[in-house]
Amino acid sequence: MGKKIHILGAGLSGMVAGINLARQGYDVLILDKSKQIGGAGVFHPSVHATPVDMRIIKDYVGIDLSGHFHEAQNFRAYFGKRGYRISATGMYGIERGSRESSIDIFLFREAQKAGVRFEFSREIRNHQELPPGSIIATGLFPEMFESLRVPSQGVYGYAARFESDKPNEYLVYFDDYIGEYYYHGIINGVFFGLIFQRKKPVSRDAVKRCQDYLAEREGLDLKEWFYIENQVPMASVRNPRLFVEDKILAGTLAGMMDPALLFGIVGAIISGKVVALAVENREKALRDFKFYTRNWKKNWIARRILERIPLRSRLNEQFLVKGSEGLKKFFLQSGKLAIPGVENYPMINVLEKL
Ligand SMILES: Cc1cc2nc3c(=O)[nH]c(=O)nc-3n(C[C@H](O)[C@H](O)[C@H](O)COP(=O)(O)OP(=O)(O)OC[C@H]3O[C@@H](n4cnc5c(N)ncnc54)[C@H](O)[C@@H]3O)c2cc1C
C-alpha cells in the first residue's frame, strides 16, 4: 500500500481528489460527518445548475462525468416582471444526494473501485486533529471555515423539494425582494427550488412574494419550505487559498467558487484534481490553482460594486431599455470567466418573451 492520505469531506472535491490519488497508488481514507454519501444536512437530494465546459472537466480531472450533466432545457428567466424563455447552450443541471442517479453516488462507486476507503459519521471540528498534509474538502459547512480562520459570509435560504414526473426544466427569478435569486430545476424526477441571499436570512415576506409569483406564473403551489444556512468564502478579496498551515484546502472552502453568483460545482470538481496534484508537487498545484482562480478578485470587486446599485435600476437599464440584447449582455458581463474552470460562458438566446 502507498502513502496514507486523509481527506475530510466526501463531497465533490473530496471524492475527485480521492479517486485521483488512489489511482496513483495512495492509501486514501475519506472521513465525513454524514451517515452516508450525499447525505449532507438537509440539502439533498437537490438539483444544481451551472455552466460547464465538459471537455475541460474530462481532460483536466480525468473522470468522465458527462452522464451526470444534463443539458438545461426548457429554461425560463424572469428579471423583475419581465420573463423570457431562453436557450442556454453550455448550461447543465446536476442531481446531488444519495439517490442512485446522483453524481455523488457515481463518484462514490468510482472511488470504491479505485480503492478509496470511507468512514461516515466522523465529524472533525478542529483541523489540527488531522495529520499534516491532509486535504480538507468540507464545502459550505461552517466548522472548517472557523477552525482554519478562512473569512466567510453567511448564506441563507429556503428550499422546497418534491417528486415530480415533469420533464427537465429550469427557472430563475432575479428580483428586488431577493438578495441573490430564486431558482428551481427538475432532474430525474426530483424538483428542487431555492430562494437565497447572503449576509441575512431571507424574510418570510420575500418567500411569500416568490411563492405568489410561482403560483401566478407557473401554477405551482409551493407551501412547504425548509430553512438552509451555510457559509461561503466571500468575506475577503484575498480568500482563495490552497494551503493553510500544513493542510491542503479543496472545493468551496478553498475559494473555488464564483464570487458573483456563487456557482460552486465546477470549481469543486476541478479543485479535486488540483489538490491531488498538491500532494506530490506543491508548486505545480499552486500554478494551476492560481490559473483557475485568476478572475476571482476582479469578479469579487465587480460584485461589490454591483451590490451598491439597486437591482431595480440594474434591471431597468439592462432589460427595460435594451430588451433581449441587454439580457445577453447581463449574462456575459456578470458571468464571464467568473467560474473557476469555465472558459466559455453559456450562449444565451432569447426564444420568446413571456
Ligand atoms: C442548497 C444548495 C444549492 C446549490 N446550488 C448550486 C447550483 O445550482 N450550482 C452550483 O454551481 N453550485 C451550487 N451550490 C454550491 C455547490 O453545491 C458547492 O459549491 C459544492 O458542492 C462544493 O463542493 P465541495 O466539494 O467543496 O463540498 P461538498 O460537495 O458540499 O461536500 C462537503 C462534504 O464535507 C462534509 N463535511 C462538512 N463539514 C464536515 C466536518 N466538519 N467533518 C466531517 N465532514 C464534514 C459534508 O458532509 C459533505 O459531504 C449549492 C449549494 C447548496 C448547499
Side-chain angles (χ1 to χ4, degrees):
M1 232 345 148
K3 196 178 158 212
K4 190 163 184 175
I5 294 283
H6 285 77
I7 299 177
L8 188 67
L12 297 180
S13 57
M15 285 198 283
V16 168
I19 294 166
N20 274 283
L21 288 165
R23 284 178 182 170
Q24 288 167 43
Y26 284 89
D27 172 16
V28 182
L29 176 63
I30 304 189
L31 310 171
D32 198 288
K33 68 176 175 179
S34 306
K35 291 197 192 83
Q36 60 181 61
I37 277 297
V42 292
F43 308 143
H44 307 315
S46 59
V47 176
H48 293 194
T50 181
V52 181
D53 286 334
M54 291 309 305
R55 190 189 44 78
I56 297 180
I57 295 208
K58 195 169 170 208
D59 292 353
Y60 183 73
V61 176
I63 305 171
D64 185 0
L65 293 168
S66 52
H68 291 275
F69 284 86
H70 306 267
E71 269 182 47
Q73 289 157 352
N74 195 8
F75 202 127
R76 282 161 297 130
Y78 279 82
F79 300 83
K81 291 198 180 349
R82 303 225 145 194
Y84 303 88
R85 197 161 68 77
I86 57 180
S87 71
T89 312
M91 187 83 187
Y92 292 81
I94 306 104
E95 181 189 338
R96 301 290 313 271
S98 47
R99 299 185 341 144
E100 274 303 313
S101 44
S102 70
I103 190 171
D104 302 68
I105 291 292
F106 173 78
L107 286 171
F108 180 52
R109 303 255 188 270
E110 287 296 303
Q112 284 180 314
K113 265 191 252 163
V116 175
R117 292 176 297 122
F118 288 82
E119 279 181 21
F120 292 101
S121 303
R122 284 289 306 276
E123 181 169 34
I124 306 263
R125 303 185 76 89
N126 182 341
H127 67 281
Q128 285 163 346
E129 288 173 36
L130 292 162
S134 296
I135 293 169
I136 308 190
T138 49
L140 289 77
F141 291 80
E143 299 88 1
M144 286 297 138
F145 281 110
E146 283 159 24
S147 175
L148 294 156
R149 295 173 195 255
V150 175
S152 65
Q153 235 175 22
V155 54
Y156 308 89
Y158 284 91
R161 170 193 307 124
F162 58 86
E163 282 180 22
S164 169
D165 52 13
K166 282 179 76 177
N168 294 4
E169 73 164 45
Y170 300 86
L171 173 75
V172 58
Y173 288 168
F174 292 95
D175 214 325
D176 56 1
Y177 61 88
I178 323 170
E180 297 292 320
Y181 49 93
Y182 165 83
Y183 84 92
H184 76 224
I186 302 175
I187 297 186
N188 301 332
V190 175
F191 171 102
F192 182 79
L194 177 67
I195 175 171
F196 72 106
Q197 67 188 24
R198 305 180 204 196
K199 296 183 189 162
K200 59 175 191 213
V202 175
S203 68
R204 291 305 302 193
D205 181 51
V207 177
K208 173 81 175 62
R209 285 185 66 179
C210 185
Q211 202 172 317
D212 289 347
Y213 280 128
L214 287 167
E216 183 187 312
R217 295 169 181 162
E218 324 295 329
L220 196 60
D221 187 19
L222 278 191
K223 288 219 166 62
E224 284 181 31
W225 298 80
F226 54 94
Y227 181 68
I228 281 185
E229 188 176 332
N230 296 108
Q231 296 289 314
V232 285
M234 304 311 163
S236 161
V237 72
R238 287 192 299 278
N239 247 355
R241 56 195 85 191
L242 181 56
F243 302 108
V244 172
E245 298 172 21
D246 57 5
K247 303 295 184 295
I248 304 169
L249 271 50
T252 294
L253 177 69
M256 284 288 267
M257 181 182 238
D258 138 45
L261 295 173
L262 303 183
F263 288 110
I265 294 283
V266 179
I269 293 171
I270 297 269
S271 157
K273 174 65 187 234
V274 175
V275 297
L277 271 176
V279 170
E280 295 218 315
N281 186 337
R282 288 171 72 96
E283 287 71 33
K284 164 102 180 68
L286 201 54
R287 273 201 302 277
D288 284 11
F289 184 72
K290 285 187 177 155
F291 175 77
Y292 286 116
T293 52
R294 68 193 183 283
N295 294 299
W296 207 93
K297 192 173 173 185
K298 190 182 78 189
N299 283 294
W300 188 93
I301 293 168
R303 165 73 199 214
R304 280 286 159 114
I305 294 168
L306 222 64
E307 275 172 12
R308 287 160 203 245
I309 308 169
L311 189 78
R312 188 56 70 186
S313 42
R314 273 187 270 154
L315 293 177
N316 283 345
E317 202 257 326
Q318 291 293 343
F319 310 115
L320 302 187
V321 180
K322 294 182 186 147
S324 61
E325 275 311 304
L327 176 68
K328 267 192 200 175
K329 213 168 144 203
F330 172 86
F331 270 105
L332 284 170
Q333 279 172 351
S334 61
K336 204 168 182 199
L337 300 179
I339 307 173
V342 176
E343 301 290 321
N344 297 304
Y345 210 66
M347 294 296 298
I348 305 287
N349 279 306
V350 174
L351 302 174
E352 175 190 6
K353 283 191 178 169
L354 299 170

